[in-house]
Amino acid sequence: MKKLILLFLITIQLGFAQSRLDFKSLRYDEDYSKIENDFNSTFLDKIKYIPLTKDGNLKLSLGGELRSQYQYFNNENWGDVPNDSDGFLLNRALFHLDTKYKKSFRLFAQIQSGTAISRIDPSPVDKNELDIHQLFIDFNFKLNTSDFTFRIGRQEFMYGSQRLISVREGPNSRQAFDAVKMIWKYKNIKSDVFYSQFVKNTFGNFNDRVNPNTKLYGIYNVINRIPVIQNIDLYYLGLDKKTASFNSISGEEKRHTIGTRIWSKNKNWNYDFETVYQFGSIENESIQAWTASLYTNYQFNQLKFKPKLGLKTELISGDKATDDNKLQTFNPLFPRGAYFGLAAILGPSNLYDIHPSIELEINDKMTFAADYDFFWRFSKNDGIYQPNTVLIYPSADSMERYIGSQLGASINYDIKQWFSLKVEATWFNAGYYLKEVSTGKDILFTAATLAYYF
């Protein structure tokens, strides 16, 4: 811990002068070729381009992240689990090196360390002391006007709105897959074809192993700059899972997901519409599940604080009956861990919600956001789930549909481009269903996150 704090202080001092680095959610997508020959670069600029040969064909780039996050729950899981009376501290450190030979070959490696202080009964997602998070090689080549990349090894996935496949940024440990992937780019089209096995986090050092019981494969296509609709995603995802469990059934799950997403990012008005259908089988039952999501926002750039008003609504199927040889519970696969906020109280299965929001730009460094989310069970014969589809409470013969409402607020302060502080709070008011199946207490959650990138 002392070494981590010392590294944190040293890198802050070294980084005060730099401001031109473009950090991305997928660190391997960063491109610093524009600063390679800039003689006015700072120290942290220079570690993005370290020539390993005289001709500069072989080069190395270094980077990382240090994040410390304090969390406090009052009545976690609506009062059905013990409280961490004084809250707890989650620390995450990521360090990567990116070695490239010309534009044809790359080796990318990243280690991850996650610690949990004062957390009662932490999970391996909270506490994973040290492990190889990513380690892959790329082979790149051009064929006519197309660009191809073959990627082999442990890697992060992130697609679309992250409703189905995400890096799981909110929790302490990000998720990865051992995979083979082909990436094809042609003009305004990008297509990924991949086969992978999920990497399961485990307590300890260098012992995260691929989970042969969970396979994910598919094809994800993105077409940009389309007249009228602007952008569209089209995808197929396959999931093979040896052991899966839902409200009414457990067993081997073979699930197929097809979906489309239409979206835009404009100066004022943005929209994101996604529909997904799932089919397949689990044990002796067929799968017939679906979801539809609509998110739109409008920013008033001419007004003070540039208010951005948003509205999101989702319909997410749940199991209609326990005795019809069909499972309608939607499986979100590998979504954002903090799906409905950092508190991660609910996951996107068997519910529908209405979610208005507002965001204000206090100044060029600080933003304030608030949202209010109302949740109902889609089916009264199905329970509610965590983001990873673990059942929280079964249907329990309750005929109540209303789960509750969640009020959230946050302040984000980008102290520098590479140094940020975020403070947030969530209050979940338990509804009729929760009062029947649980202790039914209201949840209060607060968090403060300090993050440094280099």
Side-chain angles (χ1 to χ4, degrees):
M1 187 64 188
K2 290 181 179 179
K3 292 182 180 179
L4 183 63
I5 294 173
L6 180 60
L7 178 61
F8 180 78
L9 294 174
I10 291 173
T11 50
I12 286 177
Q13 294 299 319
L14 292 172
F16 271 123
Q18 70 85 19
S19 60
R20 297 174 301 158
L21 303 184
D22 183 21
F23 303 114
K24 298 184 181 297
S25 295
L26 295 173
R27 298 301 300 267
Y28 56 72
D29 277 346
E30 295 171 4
D31 180 10
Y32 297 110
S33 57
K34 293 181 180 179
I35 64 173
E36 288 182 0
N37 300 314
D38 187 345
F39 296 101
N40 296 317
S41 299
T42 67
F43 173 80
L44 287 183
D45 289 333
K46 291 177 180 178
I47 67 172
K48 298 302 179 184
Y49 175 66
I50 304 172
L52 301 180
T53 57
K54 290 183 178 180
D55 57 12
N57 288 333
L58 183 64
K59 55 192 175 183
L60 173 67
S61 179
L62 304 176
E65 170 196 331
L66 297 170
R67 190 183 82 170
S68 188
Q69 186 177 87
Y70 169 80
Q71 294 188 14
Y72 171 78
F73 272 100
N74 186 32
N75 299 323
E76 189 173 0
N77 272 36
W78 300 281
D80 285 347
V81 299
N83 270 329
D84 297 282
S85 57
D86 296 320
F88 52 93
L89 189 65
L90 301 176
N91 296 306
R92 181 174 77 194
L94 290 160
F95 177 76
H96 70 261
L97 59 85
D98 190 3
T99 306
K100 295 179 181 178
Y101 178 70
K102 295 183 177 180
K103 293 184 178 181
S104 59
F105 175 81
R106 161 201 257 181
L107 170 65
F108 186 92
Q110 184 181 52
I111 58 172
Q112 177 174 242
S113 174
T115 59
I117 300 173
S118 299
R119 176 63 158 154
I120 296 176
D121 193 24
S123 74
V125 175
D126 296 324
K127 182 181 179 181
N128 189 14
E129 288 86 345
L130 186 63
D131 230 296
I132 298 173
H133 180 58
Q134 297 192 82
L135 180 61
F136 64 81
I137 56 175
D138 280 353
F139 298 96
N140 306 303
F141 65 93
K142 291 184 73 72
L143 185 62
N144 295 325
T145 56
S146 295
D147 294 310
F148 288 89
T149 298
F150 285 95
R151 180 169 296 161
I152 304 170
R154 183 164 298 183
Q155 57 195 272
E156 291 184 335
F157 287 168
M158 185 175 73
Y159 289 112
S161 59
Q162 302 187 63
R163 297 183 72 243
L164 298 174
I165 301 178
S166 169
V167 296
R168 198 177 59 191
E169 170 60 21
N172 210 28
S173 296
R174 291 163 65 117
Q175 64 187 359
F177 299 81
D178 281 355
V180 177
K181 179 193 288 188
M182 185 196 74
I183 304 168
W184 170 59
K185 294 180 182 179
Y186 174 74
K187 294 184 178 179
N188 63 328
I189 302 173
K190 180 176 182 288
S191 181
D192 288 11
V193 181
F194 61 90
Y195 177 87
S196 71
Q197 294 182 327
F198 179 65
V199 177
K200 185 178 181 180
N201 294 130
T202 307
F203 294 123
N205 299 316
F206 298 108
N207 58 354
D208 285 1
R209 298 288 184 268
V210 65
N211 184 355
N213 296 323
T214 304
K215 300 179 177 67
L216 176 70
Y217 48 90
I219 178 170
Y220 200 100
N221 307 288
V222 181
I223 307 173
N224 302 119
R225 301 188 301 277
I226 300 175
V228 183
I229 63 174
Q230 294 197 17
N231 307 285
I232 186 169
D233 298 1
L234 300 167
Y235 55 86
Y236 161 79
L237 303 169
L239 176 71
D240 290 353
K241 199 171 182 179
K242 290 294 184 183
T243 304
S245 183
F246 297 89
N247 178 71
S248 61
I249 190 172
S250 297
E252 185 174 0
E253 178 182 15
K254 293 184 178 295
R255 188 178 294 249
H256 306 280
T257 299
I258 54 175
T260 184
R261 173 180 174 241
I262 299 171
W263 54 282
S264 76
K265 286 187 177 181
N266 298 311
K267 187 176 181 180
N268 297 96
W269 181 49
N270 301 290
Y271 59 82
D272 192 317
F273 175 66
E274 190 164 9
T275 57
V276 183
Y277 180 72
Q278 295 181 332
F279 60 96
S281 64
I282 178 170
E283 281 299 287
N284 58 347
E285 294 189 3
S286 64
I287 294 173
Q288 298 177 12
W290 59 273
T291 183
S293 171
L294 174 63
Y295 174 61
T296 184
N297 64 63
Y298 187 88
Q299 186 165 19
F300 298 86
N301 289 302
Q302 304 306 316
L303 298 181
K304 187 177 182 180
F305 303 130
K306 298 181 180 180
K308 181 189 292 185
L309 302 180
L311 180 64
K312 185 175 183 179
T313 183
E314 294 178 291
L315 299 174
I316 308 171
S317 67
D319 200 26
K320 294 180 180 179
T322 59
D323 56 356
D324 62 353
N325 293 321
K326 296 178 183 178
L327 178 69
Q328 289 95 5
T329 306
F330 183 77
N331 185 337
L333 306 182
F334 303 92
R336 300 188 301 269
Y339 197 92
F340 295 109
L342 182 61
I345 296 171
L346 287 172
S349 299
N350 187 40
L351 58 80
Y352 60 93
D353 73 316
I354 299 174
H355 188 182
S357 62
I358 184 171
E359 183 177 309
L360 305 174
E361 291 186 13
I362 307 303
N363 54 45
D364 60 351
K365 296 182 180 296
M366 183 181 295
T367 59
F368 169 81
D371 63 308
Y372 209 160
D373 211 342
F374 301 88
F375 301 98
W376 294 265
R377 284 193 298 161
F378 188 87
S379 171
K380 294 181 180 180
N381 293 315
D382 202 350
I384 58 175
Y385 297 80
Q386 296 177 6
N388 59 357
T389 68
V390 172
L391 187 67
I392 303 174
Y393 298 114
S395 55
D397 298 323
S398 172
M399 289 295 100
E400 296 293 346
R401 194 180 294 274
Y402 183 55
I403 301 170
S405 61
Q406 177 178 290
L407 174 64
S410 65
I411 295 176
N412 192 79
Y413 181 29
D414 290 323
I415 303 167
K416 294 287 184 181
Q417 180 186 7
W418 36 267
F419 192 32
S420 66
L421 171 65
K422 185 174 184 178
V423 179
E424 54 197 300
T426 298
W427 173 65
F428 195 105
N429 182 23
Y432 302 123
Y433 168 72
L434 288 169
K435 291 184 183 298
E436 282 196 359
V437 301
S438 72
T439 305
K441 295 181 179 180
D442 293 347
I443 296 175
L444 175 64
F445 169 81
T446 58
T449 305
L450 191 65
Y452 175 73
Y453 303 90
F454 62 96

